[in-house]
Amino acid sequence: MYPNFISHIRKYVELDDHSVARLNQYISPLKLKRKEFLLKEGQICQSIYFVEKGCLRMYFIDDKLNEQITQFALEHWWIADHFSFLDNKPSPYFIQTIEKSEILAISTTSFEEMLRELPQMERYFRIIVQRAVAASQLRLKYMYEMSKEEFYQHFSTTFPEFVQRVPQYMIASYLGLTPQYVSELRKKKL
Amino acid sequence: MYPNFISHIRKYVELDDHSVARLNQYISPLKLKRKEFLLKEGQICQSIYFVEKGCLRMYFIDDKLNEQITQFALEHWWIADHFSFLDNKPSPYFIQTIEKSEILAISTTSFEEMLRELPQMERYFRIIVQRAVAASQLRLKYMYEMSKEEFYQHFSTTFPEFVQRVPQYMIASYLGLTPQYVSELRKKKL
DNA sequence: TTCATTTCTTAAACCAGCTTAATTTTTTAT
DNA sequence: ATAAAAAATTAAGCTGGTTTAAGAAATGAA
């Protein structure tokens, strides 16, 4: 049904076929075109989203009206504004497709029911959320220790698939650089 | 026994007295003086730590030999290098007490056993780790949208208890500023 | 209380990365 | 294919925050 989703879960917990069938009850599949929104500023983030296929970005508008990208999500990544999702607060973020994408959504209420019915999923989410914390600790360490130039070079060599797939100005935004500066850095490297 | 610990868990999940008794099996209490280490660079982070009383910092040494603080932990906060803890990799971090502290440690193996025996704890950790992700999303948003001056002013008005308790140069380090610049900002504000 | 250590301040020179603004190239929709 | 829109480049001037170097003040240990 959703091969990336199921195989991702089975990487971390055991899940028999009956549980897979039950799991489907809680999931809403979405087919989205390029530049469609899953969340807009001011809305409550009512679901967490799994990228079955495609690519998303999460961003907010800063005081100079720039779109500041804080996260990307490719295949088998989860994305949400967790603060908004957990506490039902309006989100400052937009979540938008960068390409045509297939997304699985689990709403707040489905999430709660699913975790009650399927304790393996409680375990699965504990593990992947813990991995998300590990990833954000690492990202933060890079931000502390690298200059912006190093940070860009590191990112583009570590994740070349992103540089292929995502416009350069979005990578600049994610890394906290101006597009002009990225352009300068690329020129310098050749 | 450990009032902050138990009441913190009971904020998020139900835990009967029998479970509390079982829980104690998995916990190692530590009494530490000022400036003692729970983790040093190169070691594997074998435990996650709960601050029952006191104050910790987590930092690494950057290429200019500065101590870069990435996290603090006060009462009822958890702290660990999650990447090292999950994957048994050597950590680049130091975790050290700032004051005399009482810490509860749960080792990798205890953690696994505890989660198997007490499913409420799986749920508890899923929730608090999800909250940690929410907190780090928020922190990152602040880093994107604020100048270093704003970031300092925001931090010191939002967490005045930190400014009381932690030396100024550590706050500077945590915020990614030089101590000299913080000094300048304070002068400016008076 | 005293000394040694740690922490904080001051000030001037410096620079990584931003701003502004105009032009060119690439991509998308029809 | 073609026009319109979106993305990338170039270059000059500027600034927020760092670096370097001393000295002053606060704190902890004995």
Side-chain angles (χ1 to χ4, degrees):
Chain A
M1 204 64 151
Y2 312 117
N4 284 340
F5 181 61
I6 300 303
S7 78
H8 192 255
I9 296 170
R10 286 189 164 145
K11 245 189 242 172
Y12 298 104
V13 298
E14 303 211 354
L15 198 68
D16 59 35
D17 292 347
H18 174 70
S19 299
V20 170
R22 296 294 307 144
L23 195 50
N24 278 316
Q25 307 273 323
Y26 301 109
I27 287 165
S28 310
L30 304 168
K31 293 210 182 232
L32 300 175
K33 287 183 289 194
R34 197 168 164 272
K35 299 202 179 186
E36 289 198 275
F37 288 96
L38 289 165
L39 175 68
K40 288 186 181 178
E41 182 183 11
Q43 297 175 343
I44 291 169
C45 184
Q46 303 268 16
S47 296
I48 54 176
Y49 301 103
F50 180 87
V51 182
E52 181 67 24
K53 190 158 184 311
C55 181
L56 305 177
R57 64 172 180 153
M58 179 159 132
Y59 67 92
F60 66 95
I61 308 288
D62 71 14
D63 47 2
K64 287 163 201 149
L65 305 182
N66 292 318
E67 296 175 353
Q68 282 288 359
I69 297 173
T70 59
Q71 284 183 47
F72 292 116
L74 298 181
E75 282 79 11
H76 67 69
W77 283 71
W78 287 93
I79 199 166
D81 174 354
H82 287 276
F83 190 70
S84 175
F85 181 77
L86 283 171
D87 289 356
N88 270 51
K89 303 268 189 195
S91 175
Y93 295 103
F94 298 81
I95 299 179
Q96 188 193 33
T97 55
I98 295 177
E99 319 167 345
K100 192 171 79 166
S101 301
E102 294 171 31
I103 304 299
L104 306 181
I106 305 182
S107 70
T108 323
T109 52
S110 293
F111 189 63
E112 280 303 319
E113 288 168 25
M114 178 192 70
L115 297 178
R116 299 289 182 187
E117 184 189 341
L118 301 166
Q120 315 95 297
M121 291 305 288
E122 191 78 80
R123 180 172 175 80
Y124 166 74
F125 278 104
R126 194 266 304 161
I127 293 169
I128 65 138
V129 178
Q130 206 171 349
R131 294 199 164 270
V133 170
S136 87
Q137 283 183 331
L138 189 59
R139 175 176 172 192
L140 206 58
K141 178 165 185 282
Y142 290 145
M143 292 176 75
Y144 275 101
E145 74 187 339
M146 292 181 192
S147 70
K148 297 208 160 181
E149 175 167 3
E150 290 169 326
F151 199 37
Y152 172 76
Q153 301 298 359
H154 174 83
F155 181 86
S156 56
T157 58
T158 312
F159 306 104
E161 73 276 21
F162 263 98
V163 180
Q164 299 303 318
R165 210 162 159 182
V166 171
Q168 189 171 303
Y169 80 94
M170 288 193 187
I171 290 171
S173 172
Y174 175 74
L175 297 174
L177 317 180
T178 59
Q180 293 88 329
Y181 190 52
V182 167
S183 192
E184 192 180 303
L185 292 176
R186 293 187 70 205
K187 183 172 57 168
K188 202 163 141 185
K189 203 59 188 289
L190 299 184
Chain B
M1 204 64 150
Y2 311 117
N4 284 340
F5 181 61
I6 300 303
S7 78
H8 192 253
I9 296 170
R10 286 189 163 144
K11 245 189 242 174
Y12 297 103
V13 298
E14 303 211 354
L15 198 69
D16 59 35
D17 292 347
H18 174 69
S19 299
V20 170
R22 295 295 307 146
L23 195 49
N24 278 315
Q25 307 271 324
Y26 301 110
I27 287 165
S28 310
L30 304 169
K31 292 211 182 231
L32 300 175
K33 287 184 286 194
R34 197 169 164 270
K35 300 203 178 184
E36 288 199 275
F37 288 95
L38 288 165
L39 176 68
K40 288 187 182 178
E41 182 182 12
Q43 297 175 344
I44 292 169
C45 184
Q46 302 269 17
S47 296
I48 54 175
Y49 300 103
F50 180 87
V51 182
E52 180 66 23
K53 189 157 184 313
C55 181
L56 303 177
R57 63 171 181 152
M58 179 159 132
Y59 68 92
F60 67 93
I61 308 287
D62 71 13
D63 47 3
K64 287 162 202 149
L65 305 182
N66 293 318
E67 296 176 353
Q68 282 286 359
I69 298 174
T70 59
Q71 284 183 47
F72 292 115
L74 299 180
E75 282 80 9
H76 67 69
W77 281 72
W78 287 93
I79 198 165
D81 174 354
H82 287 277
F83 190 69
S84 175
F85 181 78
L86 282 171
D87 289 355
N88 270 48
K89 303 268 189 194
S91 174
Y93 295 104
F94 298 81
I95 299 179
Q96 187 193 33
T97 55
I98 296 178
E99 320 167 345
K100 192 170 79 168
S101 301
E102 294 171 31
I103 304 298
L104 306 180
I106 304 182
S107 70
T108 324
T109 52
S110 293
F111 188 64
E112 280 304 319
E113 288 169 23
M114 178 191 69
L115 297 177
R116 299 288 182 189
E117 184 189 343
L118 301 166
Q120 315 95 294
M121 292 305 288
E122 190 79 79
R123 182 170 173 80
Y124 166 73
F125 278 103
R126 194 266 304 161
I127 293 169
I128 65 139
V129 178
Q130 206 172 350
R131 293 198 164 271
V133 171
S136 87
Q137 284 184 331
L138 190 59
R139 176 176 172 190
L140 206 58
K141 179 163 185 281
Y142 290 145
M143 292 175 76
Y144 275 101
E145 74 187 339
M146 292 182 192
S147 69
K148 298 207 159 179
E149 175 167 4
E150 290 169 326
F151 199 36
Y152 172 75
Q153 301 299 357
H154 174 82
F155 181 85
S156 55
T157 58
T158 312
F159 306 104
E161 72 277 21
F162 263 97
V163 181
Q164 300 304 318
R165 211 160 157 183
V166 172
Q168 189 171 303
Y169 79 95
M170 288 194 187
I171 290 172
S173 172
Y174 175 75
L175 297 174
L177 317 179
T178 58
Q180 293 86 329
Y181 189 52
V182 168
S183 192
E184 194 180 302
L185 291 175
R186 294 185 71 207
K187 182 171 59 165
K188 203 163 142 184
K189 203 60 189 289
L190 299 183

